[in-house]
Amino acid sequence: WVYNLNRLQWTAPAAEQQQQQDAAENGEEEGAALLAPAGPPASAGWSVTPFQDKLLVLGGHFKVGKLKKGDALPPISVWLVDLATLRWSALPTSGDVPCARGGHTACLLPSGDKVVVYGGEDSHRRPIGAVHVLDLQDLSWSELQVSSKAQPTPRSGHVATVVNDTMLVFGGGSIASCFNDLWQLDLQRGAWSKPELHGPAPTPRAGHSGALVGDYWYFLGGGNNVKGCTDMLVADLTELPAGSVSWKKVCSVPPGSPLSSEGISLLHTPELNLLVAFGGYNGKYHNAVSVYKLPGYEQHARSPVKQQQEQQQAKPATPQEQRQQDEQLQRQQAADERVQQQQLEAQVAAAAGNGSQPLQGGGVPMSQGQEKNLLRDLALAREQLKRDLAAARQELELVAGAADAAKEEAAVQINMLSRQLAAVQASAAAAEKAAEDSRQLLSAEQAKTLKLEAQLAELNERLGGVGELERELARYRKLESDSEAAAARKGTGGLWGYISGQ
């Protein structure tokens, strides 16, 4: 779909309308022509990167068959949308292809020929911390080798942008927690670091969105596993070359509104000087379109890409101009050293008490050479303190990173054990139900057995009565037989019986 900001109207892309018309003319079912050529399958958590007059769509979560332990993860998908024809095309890539993921970020470099992909979650919901680069000229992947020990905790749902040769990453989360840290990656050296932050620290969040407007990076939406974020923030990057970033709150948004949703999108439109927000989820899905008028945009309207183009188009300096620039730089450095020397002298004078000439122990004034030695020692001590402080900060970041990694690993293990425990509990419940069914069946069989035994006893009792009757019948039969035998003998007495009158 396409939203026209001038007419405030949604329209279906002409390519889809033409495909529907072609399908109707060919006698195909409605929507059948859109299935195969429409692009990637329905998914969430993908990234969209404008590239020339096209859109580069990377990755995303979509339904696939359940992966078994040990199965290789599928590679990340790469699709291209031609904005002139509004048609999709899949791009085959080569090299060190990263695994499929969702919730990652993809930033186009100012040169316009490479895309940097960071973070996300793989198919097993494991957060990713690697950085990959896609060369748009030959469509080859490579993994950026990180040289620094300090690195951000692997995450997804963060936002990222590229300013010159630096990629900035803010927020994001994992299974266990959400983050509010800001990291910068030197893409030339492959070194992560944290800039010095000023202003009120933002609350942790993931699923938010960001839009870079000149030297100002705006943030909207997101949540922290409890509720949505109700503030719109901006990071002032004007002092980023000096290693400093300032946080500012732009405005508040009503709780529960689409602007406090996770998965919301934010886009900058230079022609209208607007930030445009769309969609999101905070208990329900939204399709609202909101706009924010940027104040004072004309003062910082140049994007980093335009600045890079202006630098490339600038006329190179001649050898004479280069010498003049070098001499001016040397004079500036000498002036800075003199100012630093004067500051050190003022510090030494203040330490002496009243700003007079520095004294040695016992109140003897210092010689000029001793004073220079003392100033040099103080300068060396200050530099050593700076190095020690930087080392302590780096060590603290390493410890914090290790703690975050341990916490994340523990969360993954707890999540895995929770799933295993749920499976065991489900199996135990099924076994208990089967045992209960068996007990009920056994009880029913036992009742049947008792009933049959009672019937058998009754039959045995009846059978005993039948035996008595048979014996009585046999006795009557015997008596009858004896009677018949006696009668027979009486009827057959012979001649003597006749004579005797028998």
Side-chain angles (χ1 to χ4, degrees):
W1 287 86
V2 177
Y3 188 73
N4 190 309
L5 290 171
N6 292 319
R7 293 181 296 175
L8 303 179
Q9 182 179 3
W10 286 101
T11 57
E16 292 188 5
Q17 295 177 352
Q18 184 63 39
Q19 287 180 350
Q20 293 175 354
Q21 182 179 355
D22 295 343
E25 293 177 355
N26 295 331
E28 299 177 1
E29 295 183 2
E30 182 178 359
L34 298 177
L35 294 179
S43 57
W46 31 259
S47 63
V48 178
T49 307
F51 167 58
Q52 296 177 356
D53 58 347
K54 301 175 179 62
L55 296 177
L56 191 67
V57 180
L58 300 175
H61 291 304
F62 54 90
K63 291 185 177 180
V64 295
K66 187 175 181 181
L67 296 175
K68 298 180 180 179
K69 187 176 181 179
D71 290 348
L73 295 174
I76 191 171
S77 60
V78 181
W79 289 81
L80 197 68
V81 181
D82 191 327
L83 296 179
T85 61
L86 294 178
R87 291 186 179 273
W88 289 91
S89 59
L91 301 182
T93 58
S94 60
D96 189 5
V97 182
C99 66
R101 65 194 62 196
H104 54 283
T105 52
C107 301
L108 183 69
L109 295 186
S111 58
D113 59 351
K114 293 181 180 179
V115 171
V116 181
V117 177
Y118 170 69
E121 262 186 2
D122 65 14
S123 302
H124 296 296
R125 293 206 62 191
R126 294 175 301 195
I128 302 171
V131 181
H132 287 82
V133 179
L134 175 62
D135 191 321
L136 298 177
Q137 295 181 346
D138 58 5
L139 296 179
S140 63
W141 286 98
S142 62
E143 182 175 354
L144 182 66
Q145 299 302 317
V146 177
S147 59
S148 59
K149 293 183 179 180
Q151 298 182 28
T153 304
R155 64 193 63 198
S156 64
H158 54 280
V159 291
T161 191
V162 171
V163 179
N164 296 328
D165 292 330
T166 301
M167 181 177 71
L168 296 170
V169 174
F170 168 65
S174 61
I175 298 176
S177 57
C178 293
F179 309 115
N180 66 340
D181 49 358
L182 178 64
W183 287 83
Q184 58 182 3
L185 174 63
D186 189 323
L187 297 173
Q188 296 295 328
R189 298 187 299 111
W192 286 100
S193 62
K194 285 185 176 181
E196 183 180 352
L197 301 179
H198 302 279
T203 57
R205 64 195 66 199
H208 50 292
S209 58
L212 183 65
V213 183
D215 293 325
Y216 296 87
W217 195 14
Y218 289 88
F219 304 99
L220 181 66
N224 55 11
N225 293 331
V226 178
K227 61 181 180 179
C229 296
T230 58
D231 52 356
M232 179 176 175
L233 305 174
V234 62
D236 187 344
L237 307 180
T238 54
E239 299 298 325
L240 181 62
S244 176
V245 174
S246 298
W247 286 109
K248 297 177 182 178
K249 181 178 179 179
V250 179
C251 62
S252 299
V253 298
S257 73
L259 297 176
S260 64
S261 302
E262 296 184 27
I264 191 172
S265 60
L266 187 66
L267 178 68
H268 174 231
T269 58
E271 297 82 1
L272 301 176
N273 190 19
L274 297 175
L275 291 178
V276 183
F278 171 72
Y281 177 83
N282 58 0
K284 64 178 182 179
Y285 291 99
H286 299 280
N287 63 350
V289 178
S290 304
V291 297
Y292 178 81
K293 180 72 173 180
L294 290 171
Y297 167 70
E298 293 78 5
Q299 299 177 5
H300 52 270
R302 291 187 306 155
S303 66
V305 175
K306 292 183 178 180
Q307 294 177 15
Q308 184 74 9
Q309 292 175 350
E310 292 175 0
Q311 292 175 2
Q312 293 176 353
Q313 295 173 358
K315 181 180 178 180
T318 63
Q320 183 178 1
E321 293 175 342
Q322 186 64 40
R323 285 194 301 271
Q324 293 177 353
Q325 293 176 1
D326 293 340
E327 292 175 356
Q328 183 177 1
L329 180 60
Q330 291 176 359
R331 288 194 297 269
Q332 183 63 36
Q333 290 177 349
D336 293 341
E337 290 177 356
R338 287 194 299 271
V339 172
Q340 184 178 6
Q341 184 76 7
Q342 293 173 359
Q343 292 176 350
L344 288 174
E345 292 176 354
Q347 293 174 1
V348 173
N354 56 3
S356 59
Q357 184 180 6
L359 302 178
Q360 304 183 46
V364 180
M366 290 184 181
S367 65
Q368 186 175 4
Q370 291 174 335
E371 182 180 348
K372 289 183 178 179
N373 291 335
L374 178 59
L375 293 175
R376 184 179 66 253
D377 293 341
L378 288 174
L380 293 175
R382 187 177 67 173
E383 294 300 325
Q384 183 62 38
L385 287 175
K386 287 183 178 180
R387 288 193 295 269
D388 293 343
L389 180 59
R393 286 179 178 174
Q394 186 176 8
E395 184 68 22
L396 181 60
E397 290 178 357
L398 291 176
V399 172
D404 291 340
K407 181 180 178 182
E408 183 62 30
E409 181 65 23
V412 172
Q413 294 295 331
I414 291 174
N415 184 60
M416 185 181 301
L417 291 174
S418 298
R419 292 198 299 267
Q420 293 176 353
L421 178 60
V424 171
Q425 289 175 340
S427 300
E432 180 63 24
K433 186 177 184 302
E436 181 63 26
D437 293 342
S438 299
R439 284 194 293 268
Q440 293 178 358
L441 181 61
L442 179 59
S443 178
E445 293 297 329
Q446 287 177 344
K448 289 181 180 179
T449 302
L450 292 175
K451 185 177 181 180
L452 289 174
E453 288 178 351
Q455 292 176 351
L456 181 60
E458 183 180 357
L459 290 174
N460 286 333
E461 184 178 355
R462 291 181 180 179
L463 186 60
V466 170
E468 185 64 27
L469 291 174
E470 287 180 348
R471 287 193 295 273
E472 186 69 20
L473 179 61
R475 189 169 64 82
Y476 281 126
R477 285 177 179 175
K478 186 175 184 303
L479 290 176
E480 184 179 1
S481 176
D482 292 344
S483 299
E484 290 178 353
R489 285 196 301 269
K490 182 178 181 182
T492 58
L495 178 62
W496 294 104
Y498 178 76
I499 296 174
S500 62
Q502 296 179 347

